[in-house]
Amino acid sequence: MPALVLLGAQWGDEGKGKATDLLGGSVDYVVRYQGGNNAGHTVVVGDQKYALHLLPSGILSPECVPVIGNGVVVDPAVLLSELGGLTERGVDTSKLLISGNAHLITPYHTTVDKVTERFLGKRKIGTTGRGIGPAYADKINRVGIRVQDLFDESILRQKVEAALDQKNQILAKLYNRRAILADQVVEELLGYADELRDYVCDTTLLLNEALDQDKVVLFEGGQGTLLDVDHGTYPFVTSSNPTAGGACTGSGVGPTRINRVIGILKAYTTRVGAGPFPTELFDEDGEKLRTIGGERGVTTGRDRRCGWFDAVIARYATRVNGLTDFFLTKLDVLTGWERIPVCVAYEIDGRRVEELPYSQTDFHHAKPVYEMLPGWTEDISRAKSFEDLPKNAQAYVKALEEMSGAPISAIGVGPGRDETIQINSFL
Ligand code: IMP
């Protein structure tokens, strides 16, 4: 019966991989419901570190069925290379299920992503360059290619030709690029069909049947709430819905079946790419957070922008996702600061604002109003219970919980699998 959604409460990179992995042993299915290989999960198992981009992190738990839902955009070359890499390291990937309705990222999507960003110049979004936006645009425009099209050559050819008729005009006339040949694309895509065939099925049916049989299904969001195309800092967002509603549309499981929505919340804030970020630090504190927190993108290798915790954003994430719990990650990174600023509200044009402003202009002008919380110096990485934490670390967690509007049910105190304090069970 339990269906849980686990998603990023900030701008992504909150440490979701660790949280998903923590639940791995008790979960029967782990489902990705949106995004593509723009995501990056780092999962540490023993002394092994795995960087996953497209595959659900459940792939590392032998008893779990990993699922790529219909809401995901799949780059087949990346998928096969990720699967190959895991097989080489002895991970069994045979249980993977892929929705036949998921859309494909083709070579022309990646090309369009890169040329569009270049064309935007100073106004660029700072995308991951993986073709995500153009693939979703084609889906919405009804000229997308779906995974199931790989198994019907004539349909595949018709669809690729239709998509390229339009795209080649734009590539040639607007961006001065050479046309992409439909035959070449079809050839490449058909080359993936046989290797993918056995993974592809009606995941919607299987997931609903699994829930009927009381299996535990975990929906794993990529990116984060503030990167949601509807609820994020548009246009500086990704092109899908990482927020909780996306778990339903991206998997074909109805909202009445979801019991719990867990927001992963980093003890400070980071962001990759362009866009507003009120608590961003440009000083040595920012550099210190980046270094200690290892804040470099798993997918792009870009340095992440770093800043203090923003409670306005956390409250917003609680609201738009209907969060039932938080998993607070990377608390250990804050060890050593004498006082830790926490943003409790914004000042916008002289007014104090407690909730995330709906106006983009206001959000761009928002200045953080900070409250100073006392820090701690003790190593917390071996803490096993909340009481093991130094008093000031306990107070920091409690303050965040109060400001954010949902209970903090787990706390990450180090990168390892066992470096987590579980306060309430998620199941
Ligand atoms: P896209 O998803 O590649 O189109 O990029 C759109 C925006 O989302 C850019 O600012 C990216 O840096 C950001 N983004 C995409 N995926 C992630 C992620 O997994 N973590 C953090 N930022 C991301």
Side-chain angles (χ1 to χ4, degrees), residues 1-231:
M1 215 266 285
L4 305 91
V5 182
L6 215 141
L7 51 83
Q10 295 148 320
W11 275 286
D13 308 313
E14 296 89 353
K16 290 182 287 279
K18 182 171 192 234
T20 321
D21 184 54
L22 179 76
L23 285 156
S26 30
V27 168
D28 301 301
Y29 291 78
V30 175
V31 187
R32 275 207 59 186
Y33 56 87
Q34 48 68 235
N37 57 309
N38 50 346
H41 291 318
T42 307
V43 184
V44 182
V45 183
D47 58 356
Q48 295 285 311
K49 201 169 175 181
Y50 297 89
L52 302 173
H53 298 285
L54 182 56
L55 290 167
S57 41
I59 197 113
L60 299 172
S61 304
E63 55 294 322
C64 180
V65 180
V67 181
I68 293 182
N70 57 276
V72 175
V73 282
V74 177
D75 185 327
V78 172
L79 176 64
L80 289 172
S81 113
E82 214 162 281
L83 286 170
L86 289 178
T87 308
E88 261 172 38
R89 291 173 74 178
V91 178
D92 175 15
T93 60
S94 61
K95 284 191 179 162
L96 176 70
L97 303 176
I98 304 171
S99 165
N101 287 352
H103 278 246
L104 290 176
I105 300 177
T106 70
Y108 51 82
H109 292 125
T110 325
T111 303
V112 170
D113 196 356
K114 288 180 183 150
V115 293
T116 315
E117 280 284 275
R118 216 170 298 143
F119 189 74
L120 283 171
K122 271 202 316 240
R123 287 168 296 140
K124 71 177 182 189
I125 308 293
T127 72
T128 57
R130 303 293 196 260
I132 307 296
Y136 277 115
D138 276 4
K139 171 178 171 174
I140 301 302
N141 230 353
R142 293 163 296 190
V143 288
I145 316 288
R146 295 193 291 178
V147 170
Q148 58 179 291
D149 299 329
L150 292 175
F151 312 119
D152 184 333
E153 184 174 343
S154 103
I155 287 283
L156 180 69
R157 198 169 292 280
Q158 280 175 39
K159 290 190 174 177
V160 170
E161 279 168 4
L164 279 178
D165 271 353
Q166 218 182 40
K167 234 150 252 116
N168 277 334
Q169 298 279 340
I170 298 171
L171 282 173
K173 294 186 181 146
L174 191 61
Y175 298 120
N176 204 20
R177 302 278 298 209
R178 233 179 302 148
I180 294 172
L181 299 177
D183 279 349
Q184 251 171 29
V185 175
V186 171
E187 198 81 354
E188 178 178 333
L189 293 178
L190 286 175
Y192 303 124
D194 281 342
E195 276 186 273
L196 292 179
R197 195 181 305 269
D198 289 346
Y199 296 117
V200 180
C201 62
D202 181 353
T203 49
T204 292
L205 179 63
L206 274 159
L207 289 171
N208 278 284
E209 283 176 352
L211 287 168
D212 291 342
Q213 291 158 16
D214 281 346
K215 302 282 191 220
V216 179
V217 179
L218 177 69
F219 297 91
E220 173 184 64
Q223 292 80 49
T225 298
L226 274 297
L227 286 174
D228 186 283
V229 68
D230 284 275
H231 302 291

Side-chain angles (χ1 to χ4, degrees), residues 7 244-245 259-262 316-325 406:
L7 51 83
N259 316 72
R260 213 130 172 203
V261 185
I262 302 155
Y316 179 72
T318 305
R319 165 157 51 103
V320 296
N321 293 300
L323 295 181
T324 55
D325 306 76

